[in-house]
Amino acid sequence: MVRLINARQANGDWFDMDIDGGRIVSIKNIHNNLKEQDKSTVPLMSVGDFAALPQGTVVDAGGRTVLPAAIDVHVHSRDPGLTHKEDWHTLARGAWRGGVIAVADMPNTLPATMTRSAVMEKAERARASGLEHAFFLGVGLGNINEIRSLLLDQELPLCGLKVFYGRTTGELLYDDLETLARVLPDHGEKVVVFHSEDQCTIDCNHQRFSRQLTETGNAAFAVHSAIRSSDAAHASTRTIIEWARTTYRRPIHIAHISTAVEVELVAEARARGVPVTCEVAPHHLLFSTADYERLGPLVKMNPPLRSPEEVEALSRLFAQGAIEIFATDHAPHTLAEKYADVAHSPSGVPGVELYYQLLIACSKRFGLSLDRAVAMATSAPANLLGWRHKGRLAPGNDADFVIIGDDEYTIVTQDVVSKCGWTPYAGWHVPCDVLGTWNCGRQVYSRANHETGVS
Ligand code: DOR
Ligand code: ZN
Protein backbone atom coordinates (compact mmCIF):
# COMPACT_ATOMS: atom_id res chain seq x y z
CA MET A 1 0.00 0.00 0.00
CA VAL A 2 1.17 3.55 -0.82
CA ARG A 3 -0.11 6.71 0.84
CA LEU A 4 -0.66 9.94 -1.08
CA ILE A 5 -0.60 13.00 1.19
CA ASN A 6 -1.00 16.75 0.89
CA ALA A 7 -3.54 16.62 -1.93
CA ARG A 8 -6.37 19.14 -2.31
CA GLN A 9 -9.80 18.34 -3.65
CA ALA A 10 -12.17 20.48 -5.71
CA ASN A 11 -13.77 22.12 -2.66
CA GLY A 12 -10.35 23.13 -1.31
CA ASP A 13 -10.24 20.53 1.48
CA TRP A 14 -7.15 18.43 1.91
CA PHE A 15 -7.13 14.66 1.65
CA ASP A 16 -4.93 11.60 2.04
CA MET A 17 -5.47 8.55 -0.13
CA ASP A 18 -4.17 4.98 0.25
CA ILE A 19 -3.59 3.16 -3.01
CA ASP A 20 -2.83 -0.53 -3.48
CA GLY A 21 -1.98 -1.65 -7.00
CA GLY A 22 -4.37 0.27 -9.20
CA ARG A 23 -7.12 0.66 -6.62
CA ILE A 24 -8.01 3.16 -3.93
CA VAL A 25 -8.08 1.51 -0.51
CA SER A 26 -9.15 4.44 1.63
CA ILE A 27 -9.50 8.18 1.46
CA LYS A 28 -9.56 10.56 4.37
CA ASN A 29 -10.44 14.25 4.49
CA ILE A 30 -7.87 16.22 6.42
CA HIS A 31 -8.52 19.74 7.57
CA ASN A 32 -5.05 20.76 8.68
CA ASN A 33 -2.33 22.37 6.63
CA LEU A 34 0.49 20.95 4.62
CA LYS A 35 2.18 18.12 6.49
CA GLU A 36 5.89 18.23 7.15
CA GLN A 37 7.77 16.59 4.34
CA ASP A 38 10.62 14.34 5.25
CA LYS A 39 13.30 12.79 3.13
CA SER A 40 11.45 9.54 2.65
CA THR A 41 8.49 11.10 0.80
CA VAL A 42 8.37 10.90 -2.99
CA PRO A 43 7.00 13.86 -4.99
CA LEU A 44 3.84 12.84 -6.84
CA MET A 45 5.10 14.24 -10.14
CA SER A 46 7.94 11.72 -10.19
CA VAL A 47 5.79 8.66 -9.50
CA GLY A 48 5.33 6.72 -12.71
CA ASP A 49 3.51 3.67 -11.45
CA PHE A 50 2.08 3.40 -7.94
CA ALA A 51 2.20 -0.40 -8.16
CA ALA A 52 5.99 -0.27 -8.62
CA LEU A 53 6.65 1.63 -5.37
CA PRO A 54 7.78 -0.26 -2.25
CA GLN A 55 5.01 -0.95 0.25
CA GLY A 56 4.63 1.87 2.75
CA THR A 57 5.96 4.63 0.46
CA VAL A 58 4.54 8.08 1.18
CA VAL A 59 3.88 10.17 -1.93
CA ASP A 60 3.59 13.94 -1.54
CA ALA A 61 1.20 15.94 -3.75
CA GLY A 62 2.73 19.14 -2.35
CA GLY A 63 -0.63 20.88 -1.85
CA ARG A 64 -1.61 20.54 -5.50
CA THR A 65 -5.21 20.01 -6.62
CA VAL A 66 -5.76 16.31 -7.27
CA LEU A 67 -9.07 15.51 -8.99
CA PRO A 68 -10.65 12.32 -10.26
CA ALA A 69 -9.69 11.81 -13.91
CA ALA A 70 -12.32 12.61 -16.51
CA ILE A 71 -14.44 10.25 -18.59
CA ASP A 72 -15.38 11.70 -21.99
CA VAL A 73 -18.69 10.15 -23.07
CA HIS A 74 -18.53 11.60 -26.58
CA VAL A 75 -15.53 11.12 -28.87
CA HIS A 76 -15.07 10.10 -32.50
CA SER A 77 -12.00 7.85 -32.66
CA ARG A 78 -12.08 7.66 -36.52
CA ASP A 79 -10.52 4.20 -36.20
CA PRO A 80 -11.15 1.99 -38.15
CA GLY A 81 -11.47 3.53 -41.58
CA LEU A 82 -10.68 7.21 -41.17
CA THR A 83 -7.26 6.95 -39.60
CA HIS A 84 -5.83 9.85 -41.60
CA LYS A 85 -7.85 12.02 -39.14
CA GLU A 86 -7.17 10.11 -35.91
CA ASP A 87 -6.48 6.62 -34.60
CA TRP A 88 -6.83 4.97 -31.21
CA HIS A 89 -3.19 5.61 -30.45
CA THR A 90 -3.33 9.36 -31.02
CA LEU A 91 -6.75 9.55 -29.39
CA ALA A 92 -5.31 7.88 -26.27
CA ARG A 93 -2.43 10.35 -26.06
CA GLY A 94 -4.75 13.31 -26.54
CA ALA A 95 -7.18 12.02 -23.92
CA TRP A 96 -4.47 11.55 -21.29
CA ARG A 97 -3.09 15.03 -22.03
CA GLY A 98 -6.55 16.44 -21.29
CA GLY A 99 -6.92 14.47 -18.04
CA VAL A 100 -9.28 11.91 -19.60
CA ILE A 101 -8.69 8.22 -18.84
CA ALA A 102 -11.70 6.65 -20.52
CA VAL A 103 -13.85 7.45 -23.53
CA ALA A 104 -17.12 6.36 -25.07
CA ASP A 105 -16.70 6.26 -28.83
CA MET A 106 -19.32 7.05 -31.45
CA PRO A 107 -20.24 4.59 -34.22
CA ASN A 108 -19.62 6.70 -37.35
CA THR A 109 -16.32 5.02 -38.20
CA LEU A 110 -15.76 2.91 -41.35
CA PRO A 111 -17.28 0.41 -41.19
CA ALA A 112 -19.91 1.93 -38.90
CA THR A 113 -20.12 0.19 -35.52
CA MET A 114 -23.33 -1.67 -36.31
CA THR A 115 -22.44 -5.35 -36.39
CA ARG A 116 -20.75 -7.81 -34.07
CA SER A 117 -17.69 -8.00 -36.31
CA ALA A 118 -17.39 -4.20 -36.54
CA VAL A 119 -17.50 -3.95 -32.74
CA MET A 120 -14.86 -6.67 -32.41
CA GLU A 121 -12.58 -5.02 -34.97
CA LYS A 122 -12.82 -1.66 -33.22
CA ALA A 123 -12.27 -3.31 -29.84
CA GLU A 124 -9.02 -4.84 -30.98
CA ARG A 125 -7.70 -1.48 -32.13
CA ALA A 126 -8.87 0.32 -29.01
CA ARG A 127 -7.33 -2.29 -26.68
CA ALA A 128 -3.91 -1.88 -28.26
CA SER A 129 -3.92 1.84 -27.40
CA GLY A 130 -4.20 1.30 -23.62
CA LEU A 131 -7.02 3.85 -23.38
CA GLU A 132 -10.05 2.61 -21.45
CA HIS A 133 -13.07 2.63 -23.70
CA ALA A 134 -16.57 1.53 -24.56
CA PHE A 135 -18.51 2.01 -27.77
CA PHE A 136 -21.93 3.20 -28.75
CA LEU A 137 -23.61 0.88 -31.21
CA GLY A 138 -25.00 2.60 -34.30
CA VAL A 139 -28.52 1.89 -35.55
CA GLY A 140 -29.99 1.85 -39.04
CA LEU A 141 -32.32 -0.20 -41.23
CA GLY A 142 -29.54 -2.74 -41.73
CA ASN A 143 -29.21 -3.78 -38.07
CA ILE A 144 -32.48 -2.74 -36.43
CA ASN A 145 -33.43 -6.36 -35.80
CA GLU A 146 -30.10 -7.19 -34.22
CA ILE A 147 -29.69 -4.32 -31.82
CA ARG A 148 -31.38 -6.12 -28.92
CA SER A 149 -29.03 -9.11 -29.06
CA LEU A 150 -25.97 -6.92 -29.68
CA LEU A 151 -26.73 -4.66 -26.71
CA LEU A 152 -27.29 -7.66 -24.44
CA ASP A 153 -24.11 -9.43 -25.59
CA GLN A 154 -21.84 -9.35 -22.54
CA GLU A 155 -18.74 -10.02 -24.63
CA LEU A 156 -19.02 -6.73 -26.50
CA PRO A 157 -17.67 -3.48 -25.00
CA LEU A 158 -20.88 -1.57 -25.74
CA CYS A 159 -22.10 1.13 -23.37
CA GLY A 160 -25.28 2.03 -25.25
CA LEU A 161 -26.96 2.85 -28.52
CA LYS A 162 -26.37 6.03 -30.56
CA VAL A 163 -29.28 7.21 -32.63
CA PHE A 164 -28.56 9.83 -35.30
CA TYR A 165 -32.05 11.33 -35.36
CA GLY A 166 -30.66 13.93 -37.76
CA ARG A 167 -27.97 13.24 -40.36
CA THR A 168 -24.40 14.42 -39.65
CA THR A 169 -20.89 13.21 -40.55
CA GLY A 170 -21.26 9.71 -42.03
CA GLU A 171 -24.41 8.12 -43.35
CA LEU A 172 -26.08 7.05 -40.11
CA LEU A 173 -29.69 8.15 -39.71
CA TYR A 174 -32.60 6.56 -37.88
CA ASP A 175 -35.84 8.28 -36.93
CA ASP A 176 -38.41 5.50 -36.53
CA LEU A 177 -38.88 5.82 -32.79
CA GLU A 178 -41.88 3.46 -32.66
CA THR A 179 -39.86 0.58 -34.08
CA LEU A 180 -36.94 1.49 -31.85
CA ALA A 181 -39.08 1.19 -28.71
CA ARG A 182 -40.21 -2.28 -29.86
CA VAL A 183 -36.74 -3.68 -30.53
CA LEU A 184 -34.72 -2.23 -27.64
CA PRO A 185 -34.07 -4.48 -24.63
CA ASP A 186 -36.37 -3.77 -21.69
CA HIS A 187 -33.68 -4.56 -19.16
CA GLY A 188 -29.96 -3.94 -18.69
CA GLU A 189 -28.29 -0.64 -18.07
CA LYS A 190 -27.46 0.61 -21.53
CA VAL A 191 -28.48 4.12 -22.38
CA VAL A 192 -29.86 5.36 -25.70
CA VAL A 193 -28.06 8.53 -26.80
CA PHE A 194 -29.53 10.86 -29.40
CA HIS A 195 -27.98 13.23 -31.88
CA SER A 196 -30.98 15.51 -31.70
CA GLU A 197 -31.61 17.62 -34.80
CA ASP A 198 -34.79 17.35 -36.84
CA GLN A 199 -33.93 16.30 -40.39
CA CYS A 200 -37.13 17.71 -41.96
CA THR A 201 -36.46 21.18 -40.54
CA ILE A 202 -32.85 20.99 -41.74
CA ASP A 203 -33.92 19.89 -45.24
CA CYS A 204 -36.44 22.74 -45.47
CA ASN A 205 -33.89 25.31 -44.33
CA HIS A 206 -31.39 23.86 -46.78
CA GLN A 207 -33.68 24.65 -49.71
CA ARG A 208 -34.31 28.12 -48.35
CA PHE A 209 -30.65 29.02 -47.89
CA SER A 210 -29.14 27.00 -50.75
CA ARG A 211 -28.01 30.11 -52.67
CA GLN A 212 -25.91 31.27 -49.75
CA LEU A 213 -24.03 27.97 -49.77
CA THR A 214 -22.05 29.14 -52.77
CA GLU A 215 -20.71 32.24 -51.01
CA THR A 216 -17.07 32.28 -50.01
CA GLY A 217 -15.03 33.53 -47.04
CA ASN A 218 -15.18 32.74 -43.35
CA ALA A 219 -18.35 34.72 -42.66
CA ALA A 220 -20.23 32.60 -45.20
CA PHE A 221 -20.07 29.72 -42.70
CA ALA A 222 -22.83 31.44 -40.73
CA VAL A 223 -25.31 29.87 -43.15
CA HIS A 224 -24.54 26.54 -41.49
CA SER A 225 -26.17 27.82 -38.28
CA ALA A 226 -29.16 29.09 -40.26
CA ILE A 227 -29.69 25.72 -41.93
CA ARG A 228 -29.27 23.62 -38.79
CA SER A 229 -31.41 26.10 -36.87
CA SER A 230 -32.22 26.11 -33.17
CA ASP A 231 -35.78 25.17 -34.19
CA ALA A 232 -34.44 21.92 -35.62
CA ALA A 233 -32.84 21.08 -32.28
CA HIS A 234 -35.88 22.13 -30.23
CA ALA A 235 -38.32 20.14 -32.35
CA SER A 236 -36.25 17.00 -32.24
CA THR A 237 -35.50 17.14 -28.51
CA ARG A 238 -39.22 17.72 -27.81
CA THR A 239 -40.20 14.67 -29.88
CA ILE A 240 -37.55 12.42 -28.37
CA ILE A 241 -38.41 13.36 -24.79
CA GLU A 242 -42.12 12.83 -25.45
CA TRP A 243 -41.30 9.39 -26.87
CA ALA A 244 -39.27 8.57 -23.76
CA ARG A 245 -42.12 9.73 -21.51
CA THR A 246 -44.94 7.91 -23.21
CA THR A 247 -43.41 4.93 -24.99
CA TYR A 248 -39.86 3.96 -24.11
CA ARG A 249 -39.64 4.90 -20.41
CA ARG A 250 -36.02 3.90 -19.96
CA PRO A 251 -32.83 6.03 -19.71
CA ILE A 252 -32.08 8.29 -22.65
CA HIS A 253 -29.44 10.98 -23.09
CA ILE A 254 -29.35 13.99 -25.41
CA ALA A 255 -25.86 14.56 -26.81
CA HIS A 256 -24.19 17.97 -27.25
CA ILE A 257 -27.12 20.19 -26.32
CA SER A 258 -26.69 23.63 -27.90
CA THR A 259 -29.69 25.64 -26.67
CA ALA A 260 -31.11 26.69 -23.30
CA VAL A 261 -34.60 25.65 -24.46
CA GLU A 262 -33.44 22.02 -24.72
CA VAL A 263 -31.80 22.08 -21.29
CA GLU A 264 -35.12 23.31 -19.89
CA LEU A 265 -37.03 20.59 -21.75
CA VAL A 266 -34.73 17.98 -20.25
CA ALA A 267 -35.00 19.43 -16.74
CA GLU A 268 -38.82 19.65 -16.92
CA ALA A 269 -39.08 16.08 -18.15
CA ARG A 270 -36.80 14.83 -15.42
CA ALA A 271 -38.88 16.64 -12.82
CA ARG A 272 -41.84 14.63 -14.18
CA GLY A 273 -39.91 11.38 -13.74
CA VAL A 274 -38.59 10.85 -17.29
CA PRO A 275 -35.07 9.33 -17.05
CA VAL A 276 -33.35 11.79 -19.38
CA THR A 277 -29.96 13.50 -19.09
CA CYS A 278 -27.96 15.74 -21.37
CA GLU A 279 -24.42 16.88 -22.09
CA VAL A 280 -22.83 20.09 -23.30
CA ALA A 281 -19.69 20.45 -25.42
CA PRO A 282 -17.17 23.23 -24.70
CA HIS A 283 -17.54 24.82 -28.14
CA HIS A 284 -21.25 25.51 -27.57
CA LEU A 285 -20.35 27.49 -24.43
CA LEU A 286 -17.20 29.23 -25.64
CA PHE A 287 -18.00 30.16 -29.26
CA SER A 288 -20.99 31.73 -31.00
CA THR A 289 -22.01 32.68 -34.53
CA ALA A 290 -19.93 35.84 -34.00
CA ASP A 291 -16.82 33.62 -34.28
CA TYR A 292 -17.45 32.48 -37.87
CA GLU A 293 -15.83 35.64 -39.20
CA ARG A 294 -12.51 34.80 -37.49
CA LEU A 295 -12.55 31.01 -37.55
CA GLY A 296 -14.86 29.97 -40.41
CA PRO A 297 -14.58 26.21 -41.06
CA LEU A 298 -12.70 25.60 -37.81
CA VAL A 299 -15.93 26.18 -35.87
CA LYS A 300 -18.26 24.33 -38.21
CA MET A 301 -19.83 21.49 -36.25
CA ASN A 302 -23.18 19.76 -35.70
CA PRO A 303 -25.21 20.97 -33.93
CA PRO A 304 -23.83 24.32 -35.06
CA LEU A 305 -22.87 27.44 -33.12
CA ARG A 306 -25.73 29.57 -31.86
CA SER A 307 -26.20 33.35 -31.57
CA PRO A 308 -24.36 35.20 -28.75
CA GLU A 309 -27.70 35.64 -26.91
CA GLU A 310 -28.46 31.92 -27.09
CA VAL A 311 -24.95 31.06 -25.90
CA GLU A 312 -25.39 33.39 -22.96
CA ALA A 313 -28.68 31.70 -22.02
CA LEU A 314 -27.03 28.28 -22.28
CA SER A 315 -24.08 29.36 -20.14
CA ARG A 316 -26.46 30.67 -17.46
CA LEU A 317 -28.00 27.21 -17.18
CA PHE A 318 -24.52 25.66 -17.14
CA ALA A 319 -23.65 27.97 -14.23
CA GLN A 320 -26.77 26.83 -12.38
CA GLY A 321 -25.64 23.21 -12.63
CA ALA A 322 -28.58 22.31 -14.90
CA ILE A 323 -26.51 20.19 -17.33
CA GLU A 324 -25.31 16.78 -16.12
CA ILE A 325 -22.30 16.08 -18.30
CA PHE A 326 -19.44 17.89 -20.03
CA ALA A 327 -18.28 16.01 -23.17
CA THR A 328 -16.01 17.22 -25.95
CA ASP A 329 -17.60 15.67 -29.06
CA HIS A 330 -13.96 15.30 -30.14
CA ALA A 331 -14.39 15.09 -33.93
CA PRO A 332 -11.11 15.69 -35.79
CA HIS A 333 -10.87 16.38 -39.51
CA THR A 334 -7.73 17.41 -41.37
CA LEU A 335 -7.17 21.07 -42.19
CA ALA A 336 -7.26 20.26 -45.89
CA GLU A 337 -10.72 18.74 -45.44
CA LYS A 338 -11.92 21.64 -43.29
CA TYR A 339 -10.84 24.32 -45.73
CA ALA A 340 -13.27 23.19 -48.40
CA ASP A 341 -16.20 25.45 -49.28
CA VAL A 342 -19.10 26.00 -46.92
CA ALA A 343 -21.14 23.14 -48.32
CA HIS A 344 -18.33 20.58 -48.27
CA SER A 345 -16.25 21.45 -45.23
CA PRO A 346 -16.91 18.59 -42.76
CA SER A 347 -18.46 19.38 -39.39
CA GLY A 348 -16.47 18.68 -36.23
CA VAL A 349 -13.75 20.03 -33.94
CA PRO A 350 -11.13 18.24 -31.83
CA GLY A 351 -11.22 18.80 -28.06
CA VAL A 352 -10.33 15.81 -25.92
CA GLU A 353 -6.73 16.98 -25.34
CA LEU A 354 -8.11 20.13 -23.69
CA TYR A 355 -10.88 18.48 -21.66
CA TYR A 356 -10.00 19.57 -18.13
CA GLN A 357 -8.48 22.89 -19.22
CA LEU A 358 -11.71 23.90 -21.01
CA LEU A 359 -13.98 22.56 -18.27
CA ILE A 360 -12.23 24.62 -15.62
CA ALA A 361 -12.13 27.63 -17.96
CA CYS A 362 -15.93 27.33 -18.35
CA SER A 363 -16.47 26.85 -14.63
CA LYS A 364 -14.46 30.00 -13.82
CA ARG A 365 -15.86 32.11 -16.65
CA PHE A 366 -19.51 31.31 -15.98
CA GLY A 367 -19.34 30.86 -12.20
CA LEU A 368 -19.97 27.14 -11.69
CA SER A 369 -18.33 25.66 -8.59
CA LEU A 370 -15.31 23.48 -9.30
CA ASP A 371 -16.96 20.69 -7.31
CA ARG A 372 -19.96 20.64 -9.61
CA ALA A 373 -17.81 20.99 -12.73
CA VAL A 374 -15.75 17.96 -11.66
CA ALA A 375 -18.95 15.93 -11.18
CA MET A 376 -19.86 16.75 -14.81
CA ALA A 377 -16.54 15.20 -15.88
CA THR A 378 -16.38 12.19 -13.61
CA SER A 379 -19.25 10.80 -11.51
CA ALA A 380 -22.04 11.81 -13.93
CA PRO A 381 -20.33 10.18 -16.95
CA ALA A 382 -19.61 7.05 -14.86
CA ASN A 383 -23.30 6.90 -13.91
CA LEU A 384 -24.38 7.31 -17.54
CA LEU A 385 -22.15 4.45 -18.68
CA GLY A 386 -22.86 2.25 -15.65
CA TRP A 387 -19.21 2.21 -14.56
CA ARG A 388 -19.47 1.75 -10.80
CA HIS A 389 -15.74 1.48 -10.10
CA LYS A 390 -14.79 4.70 -11.86
CA GLY A 391 -15.49 8.45 -11.73
CA ARG A 392 -15.01 8.99 -7.98
CA LEU A 393 -12.06 8.97 -5.62
CA ALA A 394 -13.58 6.41 -3.24
CA PRO A 395 -12.50 3.14 -1.60
CA GLY A 396 -12.61 0.21 -4.02
CA ASN A 397 -12.53 2.45 -7.11
CA ASP A 398 -9.78 2.62 -9.71
CA ALA A 399 -6.98 5.06 -8.85
CA ASP A 400 -7.73 7.42 -11.75
CA PHE A 401 -6.71 10.99 -11.03
CA VAL A 402 -5.11 14.14 -12.40
CA ILE A 403 -2.99 16.93 -10.96
CA ILE A 404 -4.21 20.34 -11.99
CA GLY A 405 -1.74 23.23 -12.00
CA ASP A 406 -3.40 26.58 -11.38
CA ASP A 407 -1.04 28.83 -13.35
CA GLU A 408 -2.59 30.45 -16.40
CA TYR A 409 -1.83 28.48 -19.54
CA THR A 410 -1.85 29.58 -23.17
CA ILE A 411 -3.14 26.91 -25.53
CA VAL A 412 -0.84 26.18 -28.46
CA THR A 413 -1.32 24.07 -31.54
CA GLN A 414 1.26 21.62 -30.20
CA ASP A 415 -1.26 20.68 -27.49
CA VAL A 416 -3.22 18.95 -30.19
CA VAL A 417 -1.99 15.40 -30.09
CA SER A 418 -4.74 14.48 -32.49
CA LYS A 419 -3.63 13.75 -36.03
CA CYS A 420 -5.61 16.74 -37.28
CA GLY A 421 -3.02 19.13 -35.78
CA TRP A 422 -5.23 22.19 -35.20
CA THR A 423 -7.55 23.63 -32.58
CA PRO A 424 -9.94 26.59 -32.63
CA TYR A 425 -8.64 27.41 -29.13
CA ALA A 426 -5.04 28.23 -30.22
CA GLY A 427 -3.89 31.37 -28.37
CA TRP A 428 -6.60 31.09 -25.69
CA HIS A 429 -5.60 31.71 -22.10
CA VAL A 430 -7.01 29.12 -19.71
CA PRO A 431 -6.71 29.31 -15.91
CA CYS A 432 -4.98 25.94 -15.44
CA ASP A 433 -3.30 23.00 -17.07
CA VAL A 434 -3.17 19.25 -16.52
CA LEU A 435 0.24 18.44 -15.03
CA GLY A 436 -0.16 14.68 -14.81
CA THR A 437 -2.71 11.92 -15.38
CA TRP A 438 -2.88 8.51 -13.67
CA ASN A 439 -5.04 5.60 -14.80
CA CYS A 440 -5.38 2.68 -12.35
CA GLY A 441 -2.30 3.99 -10.53
CA ARG A 442 -0.12 4.20 -13.67
CA GLN A 443 1.01 7.56 -14.97
CA VAL A 444 -0.18 8.03 -18.54
CA TYR A 445 0.71 11.72 -18.93
CA SER A 446 3.37 13.99 -17.51
CA ARG A 447 3.49 17.62 -18.57
CA ALA A 448 6.99 18.04 -17.19
CA ASN A 449 8.32 15.45 -19.62
CA HIS A 450 5.76 16.17 -22.37
CA GLU A 451 5.12 12.47 -22.21
CA THR A 452 2.06 10.44 -22.81
CA GLY A 453 1.92 6.69 -22.66
CA VAL A 454 1.61 3.96 -20.11
CA SER A 455 4.54 4.04 -17.71
O1 DOR B 1 -19.72 18.16 -35.68
C1 DOR B 1 -19.90 16.95 -35.66
N1 DOR B 1 -18.95 16.11 -36.08
N2 DOR B 1 -21.05 16.48 -35.21
C2 DOR B 1 -21.38 15.19 -35.31
O2 DOR B 1 -22.46 14.81 -34.92
C3 DOR B 1 -20.46 14.23 -35.94
C4 DOR B 1 -19.07 14.71 -35.87
C5 DOR B 1 -18.12 13.95 -36.74
O3 DOR B 1 -18.14 12.72 -36.70
O4 DOR B 1 -17.34 14.57 -37.45
ZN1 ZN C 1 -20.41 13.57 -32.06
Side-chain angles (χ1 to χ4, degrees):
M1 192 143 71
V2 170
R3 175 159 296 175
L4 175 69
I5 62 165
N6 290 332
R8 303 198 79 152
Q9 47 192 330
N11 66 9
D13 282 354
W14 300 77
F15 70 100
D16 286 359
M17 185 161 69
D18 287 343
I19 296 172
D20 197 7
R23 290 262 164 130
I24 299 167
V25 176
S26 64
I27 182 154
K28 208 164 47 196
N29 277 2
I30 311 276
H31 295 285
N32 58 357
N33 285 330
L34 215 58
K35 281 189 217 56
E36 285 290 309
Q37 299 177 28
D38 67 43
K39 287 200 196 74
S40 62
T41 59
V42 178
L44 176 55
M45 284 310 293
S46 63
V47 175
D49 184 355
F50 272 72
L53 294 173
Q55 289 287 323
T57 306
V58 176
V59 174
D60 187 358
R64 293 268 193 203
T65 302
V66 176
L67 303 176
I71 297 167
D72 193 343
V73 302
H74 195 145
V75 303
H76 295 266
S77 68
R78 308 299 193 206
D79 187 2
L82 299 160
T83 51
H84 63 288
K85 300 177 197 266
E86 188 77 298
D87 60 40
W88 277 96
H89 228 71
T90 48
L91 175 68
R93 292 176 53 222
W96 295 328
R97 200 257 172 272
V100 172
I101 48 78
V103 296
D105 184 47
M106 291 300 163
N108 58 340
T109 37
L110 275 181
T113 317
M114 293 173 75
T115 61
R116 193 167 208 283
S117 64
V119 175
M120 299 295 265
E121 183 190 353
K122 189 183 268 190
E124 202 168 305
R125 289 160 178 268
R127 248 194 321 269
S129 74
L131 178 63
E132 293 202 65
H133 58 272
F135 311 142
F136 284 104
L137 182 70
V139 57
L141 288 176
N143 73 344
I144 187 71
N145 293 318
E146 279 96 59
I147 61 172
R148 182 197 298 262
S149 60
L150 289 169
L151 287 172
L152 292 174
D153 190 332
Q154 297 294 326
E155 277 175 31
L156 301 180
L158 292 173
C159 52
L161 186 75
K162 174 72 182 284
V163 182
F164 286 93
Y165 193 73
R167 187 177 287 111
T168 174
T169 313
E171 285 311 308
L172 288 170
L173 181 70
Y174 195 82
D175 61 4
D176 181 353
L177 296 179
E178 294 306 315
T179 303
L180 198 60
R182 274 205 311 280
V183 300
L184 280 167
D186 53 10
H187 60 285
E189 289 174 344
K190 295 190 178 132
V191 66
V192 181
V193 174
F194 286 88
H195 179 110
S196 176
E197 289 184 281
D198 182 63
Q199 195 57 46
C200 292
T201 313
I202 294 171
D203 291 343
C204 253
N205 288 338
H206 196 270
Q207 295 243 315
R208 208 168 127 212
F209 294 107
S210 61
R211 282 203 10 240
Q212 288 180 39
L213 280 168
T214 54
E215 287 172 17
T216 54
N218 275 352
F221 279 83
V223 73
H224 184 64
S225 290
I227 291 173
R228 303 186 80 108
S229 59
S230 301
D231 289 354
H234 300 163
S236 150
T237 298
R238 227 176 243 120
T239 305
I240 291 163
I241 289 177
E242 191 53 16
W243 168 80
R245 187 179 74 81
T246 56
T247 313
Y248 180 54
R249 298 175 184 200
R250 292 183 48 74
I252 67 158
H253 178 78
I254 312 289
H256 41 45
I257 255 182
S258 58
T259 65
V261 170
E262 291 171 279
V263 178
E264 279 158 358
L265 286 171
V266 168
E268 279 160 25
R270 216 183 16 258
R272 283 187 289 151
V274 183
V276 53
T277 51
C278 65
E279 80 199 22
V280 68
H283 42 261
H284 289 130
L285 291 167
L286 296 170
F287 294 113
S288 74
T289 47
D291 291 296
Y292 280 126
E293 180 94 50
R294 192 170 59 88
L295 292 164
L298 301 189
V299 287
K300 183 184 181 202
M301 77 285 292
N302 298 332
L305 295 180
R306 304 300 182 196
S307 69
E309 298 74 34
E310 287 175 290
V311 172
E312 204 196 315
L314 183 69
S315 65
R316 267 202 301 274
L317 290 172
F318 170 83
Q320 289 166 18
I323 305 173
E324 287 78 22
I325 291 179
F326 186 83
T328 61
D329 192 8
H330 176 76
H333 298 283
T334 65
L335 271 183
E337 290 166 335
K338 285 297 260 183
Y339 276 102
D341 59 48
V342 180
H344 297 100
S345 172
S347 293
V349 286
V352 75
E353 50 276 293
L354 296 169
Y355 186 106
Y356 246 124
Q357 298 88 329
L358 294 177
L359 173 66
I360 293 177
C362 288
S363 89
K364 293 229 158 117
R365 182 191 282 203
F366 303 120
L368 179 72
S369 74
L370 183 58
D371 231 8
R372 172 71 199 172
V374 170
M376 291 179 78
T378 58
S379 52
N383 291 345
L384 183 83
L385 304 176
W387 291 352
R388 296 206 182 82
H389 60 293
K390 298 192 99 63
R392 287 175 188 84
L393 297 182
N397 279 8
D398 291 346
D400 299 330
F401 52 86
V402 293
I403 314 183
I404 301 292
D406 50 15
D407 290 339
E408 186 178 272
Y409 180 72
T410 304
I411 295 171
V412 290
T413 305
Q414 286 81 345
D415 289 318
V416 183
V417 189
S418 161
K419 276 192 185 171
C420 73
W422 60 272
T423 169
Y425 301 99
W428 275 52
H429 304 296
V430 285
C432 65
D433 197 11
V434 174
L435 303 184
T437 307
W438 280 260
N439 177 209
C440 294
R442 295 167 314 162
Q443 188 164 18
V444 287
Y445 172 67
S446 157
R447 187 177 116 179
N449 308 324
H450 298 284
E451 261 174 21
T452 46
V454 178
S455 55

